[in-house]
């Protein structure tokens, strides 16, 4: 069950059954370049609609997504194997983001006045955010709607045309999105789809787009950035994570255990900001572990989450569990045998040394490590000791905000799992191997726009500074003025 190339096409599979579900073209570099060229023309038209015209059309698309949810849920489930309820959840969140982006683009990106300062008080200063032109979006398979739409919705709302390359595991979802958009906006190809394997993605990074929005692994992110560097094309990289969850001594342990099992095991652990490591205060460690074990034992792989979408991931999950056990860790739920041919049962590991792959590398499977800490300072230190910096979660009644601020991650949820991902007004992104740049919220809109500064002279200044007509007297006056204004320190 790997991607099969058949001449000019490739096939996608249902990872739960191994059945072929569709065949899609492998677009060549020339075809990708032609899509970007067409997108450039479409971008000019899309820009000319203004914020109101775009918001109206994005609302039409949003309505189609909302009204046809069951259809798209089926396509998502078929290509990823995830249960319908989870497929619907990612779609619901994606629709919320699309609504927010369309509604707030004008306020965030439209013209804003700025103070010109005393020396240039005769000027009217303003800044507005103009579209970049064409944005190339490269997406992963784990949330094939929510994740690419995190870039696509904001790029479109900011006035750009988009060329979208979905993962080779979820081309059908990509096609459904592009087709439904074309029905809502039939005039020009504002959102185009290119399909294929990694080479098609690589071609997109060189095809003349004005920005590449990449979501995927850190390893591929580095290739994307290197390739885009050849043409100085800017990139936003949303890569993986090794997200920690902290449990303080005063935490609601039932809620923390519930968040741990859901954060670690939902979507078979294939969530970039899923919980992978837990650090628990020693006073509540044993009680917390017992609660996690009880909840994890109740989870039915295959019922409550789906198979590993990408078969090669099974080996990585097995290796991480085996490394942890070989280094002295204990599996209190699951273990190496939990890794089957398609499904992985929940696995909870304790006493795992911090230098193990299960603690340091992104596992991207339904496993979690739980470690005991003497203080929350130690928890913060261990949580921050990672090459990744994507998301984090804190359970604490008294110190939630303080601990959240100290975690070196792009976003932190307090007393609930992954809440930041559903709040459209909040930016999302990482640092280190988790990438850089932001999608979602005002920051996500600005990521796909170019600030344009305009200074308009309202009247001739009594003191001409930027003219050869400037006199010695003027220079002396300005010198005195600045010394008076700023000289006091
Ligand atoms: P990959 O990095 O394997 O692939 C991501 C995308 O890049 C796919 O469309 C892939 O195409 C394409 N691609 C592959 N090679 C190249 C190349 N040389 N140049 C350009 N594009 C290329 O990631 P996965 O699809 O396996 O996704 C899982 C990863 O995504 C995890 O690390 C996860 O944490 C991360 N992720 C991050 C999120 C975030 O917002 N920070 C959200 C969701 C996931 P193809 O599939 O055809 O090979």
């Amino acid at each position: 069950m790997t991607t099969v190339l058949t001449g000019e096409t490739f096939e996608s599979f249902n990872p739960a059954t191994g059945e072929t579900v569709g065949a899609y073209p492998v677009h060549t570099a020339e075809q990708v370049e032609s899509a970007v060229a067409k997108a450039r023309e479409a971008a000019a038209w899309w820009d000319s609609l203004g914020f109101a015209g775009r918001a109206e059309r994005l609302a039409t698309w949003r309505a189609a997504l909302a009204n046809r949810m069951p259809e798209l849920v089926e396509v998502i489930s078929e290509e990823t194997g995830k249960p319908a309820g989870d497929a619907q959840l990612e779609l619901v969140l994606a629709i919320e983001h699309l609504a927010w982006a369309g509604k707030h683009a004008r306020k965030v990106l439209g013209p804003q006045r700025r103070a010109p300062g005393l020396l240039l008080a005769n000027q009217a200063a303003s800044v507005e955010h103009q579209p970049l032109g064409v944005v190339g979006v490269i997406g992963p398979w784990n949330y094939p709607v929510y994740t690419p739409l995190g870039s696509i919705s904001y790029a479109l709302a900011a006035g750009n045309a988009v060329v979208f390359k979905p993962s080779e595991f979820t081309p059908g979802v990509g096609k459904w999105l592009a087709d439904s958009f074309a029905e809502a906006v039939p005039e020009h190809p504002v959102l185009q789809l290119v399909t294929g394997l990694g080479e098609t993605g690589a071609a997109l990074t060189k095809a003349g787009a004005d920005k590449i929005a990449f979501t995927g692994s850190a390893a591929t992110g580095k290739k994307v950035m290197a390739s885009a560097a050849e043409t100085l094309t800017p990139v936003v990289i949303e890569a993986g994570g090794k997200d920690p969850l902290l449990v303080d001594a005063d935490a609601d342990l039932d809620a923390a255990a519930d968040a741990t099992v859901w954060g670690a095991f939902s979507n078979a652990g294939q969530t970039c900001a899923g919980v992978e490591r837990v650090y628990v205060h020693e006073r509540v460690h044993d009680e917390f572990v017992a609660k996690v074990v009880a909840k994890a034992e109740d989870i039915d792989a295959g019922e409550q989450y789906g198979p590993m979408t990408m078969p090669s991931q099974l080996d990585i999950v097995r290796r991480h569990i085996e490394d942890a056990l070989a280094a002295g860790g204990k599996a209190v739920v699951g273990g190496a045998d939990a890794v089957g041919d398609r499904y992985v049962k929940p696995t909870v590991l304790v006493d795992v040394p911090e230098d193990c792959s299960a603690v340091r590398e992104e596992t991207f499977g339904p496993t979690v490590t739980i470690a005991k800490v003497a203080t929350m300072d130690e928890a913060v230190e261990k949580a921050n000791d990672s090459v990744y910096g994507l998301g984090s979660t804190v359970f604490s009644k008294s110190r939630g905000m303080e601990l959240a601020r100290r975690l070196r991650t792009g976003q932190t949820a307090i007393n609930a799992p992954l809440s930041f991902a559903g709040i459209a007004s909040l930016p999302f992104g990482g640092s280190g191997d988790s990438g850089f740049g932001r999608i979602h919220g005002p920051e996500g809109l600005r990521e796909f726009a170019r600030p344009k500064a305009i200074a308009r002279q309202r009247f001739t200044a009594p003191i001409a500074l930027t003219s050869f007509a400037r006199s010695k007297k003027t220079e002396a006056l300005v010198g005195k003025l600045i010394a008076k204004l700023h000289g006091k320190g």
Side-chain angles (χ1 to χ4, degrees):
M1 199 179 41
T2 50
T3 304
V4 174
L5 269 172
T6 48
E8 303 298 302
T9 61
F10 69 103
E11 293 175 344
S12 73
F13 291 93
N14 180 333
T17 61
E19 275 171 85
T20 303
V21 294
Y24 297 87
V26 176
H27 286 119
T28 61
E30 290 72 40
Q31 288 170 314
V32 174
E33 271 171 36
S34 145
V36 170
K38 274 194 228 145
R40 193 158 299 291
E41 284 173 30
W45 172 77
W46 186 240
D47 184 20
S48 76
L49 294 179
F51 291 112
R54 288 194 295 272
E56 197 186 307
R57 282 164 171 85
L58 290 175
T60 307
W61 187 37
R62 189 180 85 214
L65 293 177
N67 291 328
R68 294 168 61 190
M69 268 204 288
E71 244 180 81
L72 183 51
V73 160
E74 206 176 311
V75 185
I76 300 170
S77 286
E78 204 169 54
E79 286 193 328
T80 62
K82 68 175 74 173
D86 283 356
Q88 178 174 296
L89 179 61
E90 73 160 294
L91 187 44
V92 163
L93 295 181
I95 291 170
E96 283 284 311
H97 277 281
L98 177 58
W100 194 92
K103 199 166 159 210
H104 291 84
R106 180 200 292 277
K107 185 156 185 264
V108 174
L109 304 174
Q112 288 168 14
R113 293 187 65 173
R114 297 280 168 94
L118 196 61
L119 279 184
L120 289 158
N122 64 326
Q123 305 286 323
S126 66
V127 64
E128 58 197 58
H129 287 78
Q130 300 179 343
L132 300 173
V134 180
V135 175
V137 174
I138 301 175
W141 44 265
N142 59 341
Y143 291 93
V145 172
Y146 172 77
T147 293
L149 281 194
S151 299
I152 292 172
S153 300
Y154 289 81
L156 290 172
N160 303 281
V162 170
V163 177
F164 171 36
K165 151 69 177 75
S167 163
E168 70 200 48
F169 294 98
T170 53
V173 176
K175 183 166 162 39
W176 199 100
L177 290 171
D179 288 350
S180 63
F181 184 87
E183 280 172 35
V185 184
E187 295 96 330
H188 290 271
V190 174
L191 170 61
Q192 290 175 80
L193 184 79
V194 290
T195 52
L197 313 190
E199 292 87 82
T200 304
L204 183 53
T205 64
K206 298 181 198 301
D210 299 288
K211 185 157 202 167
I212 298 293
F214 169 82
T215 309
S217 62
T220 311
K222 288 172 193 172
K223 287 188 201 159
V224 165
M225 194 173 170
S227 172
E230 286 172 25
T231 47
L232 269 189
T233 304
V235 292
V236 44
I237 304 279
E238 295 292 344
K242 189 73 189 168
D243 287 7
L245 181 147
L246 274 53
V247 185
D248 200 354
D250 68 351
D252 175 338
L253 296 187
D254 285 312
D258 199 62
T260 298
V261 295
W262 193 80
F265 306 140
S266 63
N267 206 34
Q270 302 166 120
T271 303
C272 56
V275 175
E276 298 224 354
R277 307 176 281 154
V278 180
Y279 296 102
V280 192
H281 197 285
E282 60 185 9
R283 287 216 299 273
V284 293
H285 173 268
D286 294 354
E287 194 186 340
F288 173 77
V289 171
K291 286 180 189 292
V292 170
V293 168
K295 286 178 191 291
E297 280 173 347
D298 272 353
I299 294 170
D300 187 353
E303 202 43 56
Q304 280 156 299
Y305 61 76
M308 301 306 287
T309 303
M310 196 168 61
S312 57
Q313 198 65 25
L314 288 162
D315 293 335
I316 296 173
V317 178
R318 189 181 297 107
R319 175 169 62 80
H320 286 190
I321 298 173
E322 284 172 354
D323 282 358
L325 299 179
K330 283 200 297 282
V332 287
V333 177
D337 294 347
V339 184
D341 289 343
R342 289 189 179 134
Y343 291 85
V344 180
K345 292 188 188 142
T347 292
V348 180
L349 299 162
V350 296
D351 299 335
V352 182
E354 286 289 301
D355 60 354
C356 271
S357 55
V359 179
R360 306 215 69 82
E361 297 171 23
E362 185 181 43
T363 307
F364 226 50
T367 70
V368 68
T369 61
I370 304 179
K372 191 191 288 182
V373 290
T375 62
M376 293 318 283
D377 288 347
E378 184 187 343
V380 169
E381 197 181 311
K382 288 191 162 147
N384 284 343
D385 180 17
S386 172
V387 294
Y388 292 107
L390 192 57
S392 53
T393 312
V394 172
F395 274 82
S396 174
K397 287 204 180 96
S398 55
R399 298 177 65 188
M401 285 303 281
E402 178 217 327
L403 295 169
R405 288 197 175 104
R406 288 167 62 193
L407 288 169
R408 196 185 52 79
T409 58
Q411 40 280 324
T412 301
I414 302 174
N415 296 336
L418 284 157
S419 41
F420 46 72
I423 300 174
S425 59
L426 283 179
F428 183 91
S431 59
D433 274 12
S434 296
F436 55 85
R438 292 293 182 267
I439 54 172
H440 303 172
E443 291 78 4
L445 284 167
R446 286 189 206 109
E447 189 73 51
F448 298 109
R450 175 181 289 131
K452 171 78 181 180
I454 300 178
R456 178 178 56 83
Q457 177 151 305
R458 292 188 295 135
F459 54 87
T460 309
I463 306 175
L465 288 176
T466 52
S467 162
F468 286 116
R470 189 176 66 209
S471 66
K472 291 282 170 216
K473 201 172 142 207
T474 300
E475 286 171 9
L477 189 68
V478 168
K480 268 194 210 144
L481 187 67
I482 290 301
K484 204 168 174 63
L485 270 177
H486 300 291
K488 290 204 182 104

